[in-house]
Amino acid sequence: MQLRPLSQPDLPLLTDLWVRSWKTLKLDIDFDARRAWLPQHLTALMTGGTKVIAAYAPELAGFVTIDPGSGWLDQICVDPEHFGRNVAKELLNDAKSHAPRGVDLDVIEMNARAIRFYLKEGFKIVGHGVSPRSNLKTLLMRWAP
């Protein structure tokens, strides 16, 4: 697996991957309708200094965003075809290396798979909230070195 910064030409493939991954949760959300949002959102994050790291195995297998200044992990996503192949672990470890003071993230409470993964990777639940985009309940999770 190779990790490298996202290149703009990969945004359409990354968007397809993001939609496929979110659809596995079977939430009552039309992720196809949100396609236009993701490239705009990632571009805005990158403009603000957030790193977007993509995993290739050899095709695009996932990505993570991390703000090195704040430690905020806004997105981590793995193609469903690569679930269980340590893509998320590699991406998360890379994110941690860019945020040595710690990493914070929100995860949807209904995403039991992700919550188990984060707990296994040393995160702790430190708060509760609601996603402003979906109105779904979230958990604030934190990893500290």
Side-chain angles (χ1 to χ4, degrees), residues 20-127:
R20 280 193 309 276
S21 182
W22 274 106
K23 283 182 174 181
T24 65
L25 290 178
K26 305 203 183 317
L27 300 172
D28 191 22
I29 298 171
D30 183 357
F31 286 98
D32 283 308
R34 293 186 178 189
R35 278 181 183 278
W37 171 82
L38 184 67
Q40 293 170 356
H41 181 64
L42 292 178
T43 299
L45 288 174
M46 288 186 286
T47 300
T50 293
K51 295 184 177 298
V52 181
I53 307 299
Y56 298 85
E59 69 283 345
L60 183 64
F63 73 96
V64 66
T65 69
I66 187 71
D67 181 325
S70 69
W72 184 253
L73 190 156
D74 186 78
Q75 301 279 320
I76 186 168
C77 189
V78 174
D79 190 306
E81 292 183 17
H82 289 86
F83 283 178
R85 296 185 185 170
N86 287 326
V87 174
K89 184 178 181 85
E90 292 291 326
L91 288 167
L92 186 58
N93 285 339
D94 191 72
K96 287 176 178 179
S97 76
H98 293 288
R101 292 185 306 232
V103 175
D104 291 317
L105 59 86
D106 276 328
V107 61
I108 294 173
E109 278 188 4
M110 295 168 40
N111 193 345
R113 177 187 179 100
I115 293 167
R116 282 191 308 272
F117 169 72
Y118 294 130
L119 290 171
K120 182 179 170 189
E121 295 303 315
F123 281 75
K124 305 236 182 303
I125 298 169
V126 295

